[in-house]
Amino acid sequence: MLVSKLLPLTCMAFLLVVSSCNDEVQIREKKFTVPSTYAFDNVDYSGQIARLDQLDEMVSYIETAIKAKDQIESEVLMEMFSNANENGGGNFSFSSSKQLSDKCFGPHVQKVEAYFDQIELISTSQNEAVNGVAGFSENNSGGIRLYDENGVELSEMIEKTIMGAVFYYQATAVYLDNDKMNVDNETVVEGQGTAMQHHWDEAYGYLGVSNDFPASTESLRFWGKYCDRRNDLLSSNASLSEAFRMGRAAIDNEEYDLRDAAIVEVRKNWEKVCVATIIHYLNEAVDNLGDDHTRNHVLSEAHVFIESLFYNPDKIISNNDLDEVLTKIGTNFYEVSAQDLQSARDLLSTIYEMDNIKSAL
């Protein structure tokens, strides 16, 4: 049976088992330990590392072009997204057989590709970004960003959509789902483990942390960075790491009830990181309401992180509430109000029981 809440980790793992015959609760001891870091045999998520590397270099290409106010080529981004010729059409500094596009949530592949076309078009303009006019925005510190006519930052939409529609989607909705979990857990492939172990490790790889996490927070990438940024208020580093480690240890010991409980915890705690990040950006937008350069940037991030919540099959928020949050933010970031942004924040904080920390995020 599924356990609704992951039990605290100690040197020994336990599981409550409820008997359906006599309603008695029995304690069954689990004879395995859970390591303090992801120190398991035959761990391989090199495919996930390759995809994180690909997005790293895609973002670097975009940011370098924006800083120089150069044209961004949609074709280059398409080649990187599909990993043409296994080196991004010559645009990657490394070779790999992996690609981002074939792991992207299918209906949203066209969304990402449309962003490529939009950012190319906008980058050809040397206009100053203002309401109704796409162009470049520069702050007093020399930071340069590129916005469309509604203040949407396409570079953020590209990066964060791939983080959601590839990394978050694959981890929570694909690799931890039944099709990838109800597989062989007997035949060990050297360096990869069993099929079930490997799928679990691949989900872990999309988090963007090392095997030493959370003891080490060096070299965090993408979702790993946001997990760490929310850690002070959510203890997210420990909760996500514990859930992943419990699940892998349970698989190693064929304790599938605990594995399933760990899946619930991974999805729940990763979702909390996403929501807390949205609330953080909404707070920042309210604090910088009169600063187009900053407000548009953080609202672009907030918008696409809200969209990311869709991919989690166990998400707490309903699709109707997701639509309501997006409606409150609107489609023109130049014309938002503090009241609407705070209302969007409060709706999220109520649903996710973060009212006590919403102002501190």
Side-chain angles (χ1 to χ4, degrees):
M1 87 181 227
L2 275 179
V3 176
S4 63
K5 185 174 182 180
L6 188 64
L7 302 177
L9 295 184
T10 62
C11 61
M12 195 72 69
F14 297 90
L15 178 65
L16 288 176
V17 179
V18 180
S19 170
S20 60
C21 298
N22 55 19
D23 294 327
E24 292 180 357
V25 177
Q26 299 176 332
I27 305 296
R28 182 158 55 92
E29 188 174 340
K30 300 298 178 180
K31 299 293 186 180
F32 67 87
T33 59
V34 180
S36 60
T37 59
Y38 208 79
F40 300 98
D41 293 333
N42 296 313
V43 171
D44 174 29
Y45 46 84
S46 56
Q48 285 61 44
I49 291 174
R51 292 185 179 92
L52 266 62
D53 289 342
Q54 289 169 357
L55 183 54
D56 259 332
E57 297 201 2
M58 182 185 293
V59 170
S60 178
Y61 164 71
I62 294 171
E63 290 180 345
T64 299
I66 291 174
K67 185 176 181 180
K69 295 187 177 180
D70 289 337
Q71 180 178 344
I72 297 168
E73 295 184 29
S74 175
E75 183 178 354
V76 169
L77 294 175
M78 289 285 289
E79 289 178 337
M80 297 173 100
F81 189 48
S82 63
N83 194 19
N85 302 322
E86 299 193 348
N87 63 1
N91 297 294
F92 288 142
S93 64
F94 61 95
S95 296
S96 170
S97 62
K98 307 301 180 182
Q99 58 178 265
L100 293 165
S101 60
D102 70 347
K103 293 295 183 179
C104 185
F105 178 68
H108 291 172
V109 171
Q110 288 185 332
K111 174 191 285 191
V112 175
E113 293 175 345
Y115 289 151
F116 296 161
D117 292 337
Q118 287 178 267
I119 201 169
E120 175 180 349
L121 180 63
I122 295 170
S123 70
T124 61
S125 168
Q126 293 298 311
N127 294 327
E128 177 183 356
V130 295
N131 192 2
V133 179
F136 291 92
S137 172
E138 187 169 353
N139 64 8
N140 294 332
S141 302
I144 301 176
R145 292 174 178 146
L146 186 63
Y147 295 116
D148 76 3
E149 67 277 9
N150 294 314
V152 176
E153 188 174 7
L154 271 300
S155 60
E156 290 299 332
M157 305 306 283
I158 291 169
E159 178 184 355
K160 301 310 188 299
T161 298
I162 291 174
M163 280 177 58
V166 179
F167 303 163
Y168 186 59
Y169 164 66
Q170 285 292 324
T172 63
V174 177
Y175 282 104
L176 299 186
D177 209 31
N178 291 336
D179 286 349
K180 293 288 189 180
M181 285 291 100
N182 295 336
V183 294
D184 175 66
N185 195 31
E186 299 294 334
T187 306
V188 175
V189 176
E190 186 65 28
Q192 286 192 346
T194 66
M196 190 187 300
Q197 289 170 334
H198 186 49
H199 292 164
W200 187 274
D201 295 340
E202 289 181 297
Y204 181 78
Y206 280 119
L207 184 57
V209 301
S210 71
N211 287 351
D212 293 331
F213 182 77
S216 172
T217 54
E218 298 294 323
S219 304
L220 299 178
R221 296 200 286 174
F222 300 111
W223 284 107
K225 288 183 178 180
Y226 289 96
C227 182
D228 189 53
R229 289 173 185 173
R230 308 283 86 84
N231 186 57
D232 286 348
L233 293 174
L234 297 183
S235 299
S236 42
N237 290 354
S239 60
L240 260 174
S241 174
E242 286 172 1
F244 268 115
R245 286 182 282 116
M246 173 64 86
R248 181 52 146 86
I251 289 171
D252 291 357
N253 290 274
E254 300 182 357
E255 297 286 3
Y256 301 124
D257 289 341
L258 275 177
R259 177 205 64 186
D260 292 345
I263 291 171
V264 172
E265 289 297 302
V266 167
R267 288 171 171 169
K268 180 183 73 175
N269 285 290
W270 203 329
E271 182 178 16
K272 287 172 65 177
V273 168
C274 188
V275 172
T277 298
I278 296 164
I279 292 174
H280 167 80
Y281 283 129
L282 292 175
N283 283 336
E284 195 170 350
V286 171
D287 291 343
N288 294 275
L289 202 62
D291 179 354
D292 292 349
H293 184 84
T294 300
R295 184 199 60 245
N296 291 348
H297 170 69
V298 296
L299 284 180
S300 296
E301 297 208 68
H303 181 99
V304 75
F305 273 119
I306 293 166
E307 292 182 336
S308 291
L309 292 174
F310 165 81
Y311 303 109
N312 189 329
D314 285 345
K315 68 181 185 297
I316 294 173
I317 194 168
S318 68
N319 287 337
N320 285 339
D321 283 335
L322 273 178
D323 289 340
E324 184 176 350
V325 172
L326 288 172
T327 297
K328 289 178 183 297
I329 295 174
T331 57
N332 189 325
F333 298 158
Y334 288 101
E335 299 176 357
V336 295
S337 71
Q339 182 179 358
D340 285 341
L341 296 181
Q342 288 168 336
S343 180
R345 178 199 66 180
D346 293 347
L347 177 57
L348 286 170
S349 69
T350 298
I351 292 171
Y352 287 92
E353 300 181 348
M354 293 186 185
D355 285 344
N356 60 324
I357 61 170
K358 65 183 180 182
S359 297
L361 284 168

